Amino acid sequence: MFLQDIEPGIIVKELSPEELTQILESHFDKAFENRADAAVTPEISEEAKAQIKQRRIQDSRYRLRLGIFVDGEIAGWHYGYSTDAETYYMQNSAVLKEFRGKKLYSKLLTATLEVLKQQGFQVVTSIHHPNNPAVLIPKLKQGFVISGTLLHERFRFLVELKYFYNSDRRQAFNRNIGLDI
């Protein structure tokens, strides 16, 4: 299990599925209180909800769940999964409101990328609202590139980012989009 002391009082550690579930149930809505969600979430049965939850927990893909803690208190999290053997998708990351403005997201991102490098991933992907500078700027500074856009039925317009561990692969990507730099 990954555990890293970032600086005095701040740690990033890997979470079990149960720990992540507990954190999300307690804090998810607070972390994303300003989100706009187009109301297209269909009503589903309790049985279907339980089955979906069980599949999420038992999925055989590589999964990473990290929490960042300040003086023992949860300050934020990251979770995601592999989409194929060499690509990892950063599904969700957040820093709670009372901990924002302390560069904790950047610290969590650095730790996340370190774990994924240790696991041998070649590409890391993520999607974001284009008006989310608190996430986009740290990712761009870390070396992510904008690789596309998409229109989601619930989350609307999004931008896709990619991070390449291998510089040759990044250069090939740049050439393929017409940026021979």
Side-chain angles (χ1 to χ4, degrees):
M1 295 286 278
F2 180 81
L3 176 64
Q4 184 179 53
D5 287 314
I6 302 294
E7 57 188 55
I10 300 176
I11 65 164
V12 174
K13 72 173 191 171
E14 194 163 350
L15 304 172
S16 70
E18 295 78 17
E19 288 173 312
L20 178 62
T21 298
Q22 183 179 15
I23 288 168
L24 295 179
E25 286 174 354
S26 299
H27 300 289
F28 190 89
D29 288 337
K30 289 187 290 188
F32 295 101
E33 65 189 4
N34 65 339
R35 70 182 166 160
D37 187 356
V40 296
T41 306
E43 286 296 318
I44 59 174
S45 70
E46 290 303 313
E47 180 183 9
K49 287 179 187 177
Q51 290 169 326
I52 291 167
K53 184 176 181 179
Q54 194 61 27
R55 277 196 302 272
R56 285 186 180 138
I57 292 170
Q58 292 182 341
D59 198 353
S60 62
R61 295 187 267 208
Y62 174 83
R63 290 191 171 274
L64 180 62
R65 301 163 200 89
L66 296 175
I68 187 163
F69 297 81
V70 175
D71 297 324
E73 187 177 349
I74 186 70
W77 61 82
H78 163 74
Y79 61 90
Y81 56 87
S82 61
T83 58
D84 59 46
E86 59 186 42
T87 307
Y88 178 85
Y89 172 60
M90 296 183 74
Q91 183 177 0
N92 186 268
S93 301
V95 173
L96 296 173
K97 191 180 219 173
E98 59 268 29
F99 294 100
R100 292 179 186 160
K102 299 176 176 152
K103 300 193 183 287
L104 292 178
Y105 179 74
S106 294
K107 293 172 183 6
L108 180 60
L109 177 61
T110 298
T112 301
L113 291 174
E114 182 180 319
V115 173
L116 297 173
K117 183 176 184 178
Q118 291 170 5
Q119 293 295 320
F121 284 98
Q122 300 302 301
V123 180
V124 178
T125 67
S126 60
I127 56 174
H128 307 278
H129 287 276
N131 63 346
N132 188 354
V135 170
L136 293 173
I137 291 170
K139 282 191 166 175
L140 292 170
K141 284 182 176 180
Q142 190 74 251
F144 280 77
V145 294
I146 297 171
S147 57
T149 61
L150 63 114
L151 184 61
H152 190 279
E153 74 279 3
R154 287 177 49 211
F155 305 120
R156 301 182 181 100
F157 182 73
L158 301 169
V159 294
E160 179 188 56
L161 300 180
K162 286 189 179 178
Y163 180 86
F164 299 96
Y165 285 99
N166 182 292
S167 61
D168 292 337
R169 192 165 181 160
R170 175 154 180 184
Q171 285 178 340
F173 174 81
N174 287 342
R175 273 193 308 279
N176 289 335
I177 62 170
L179 296 174
D180 201 8
I181 55 176

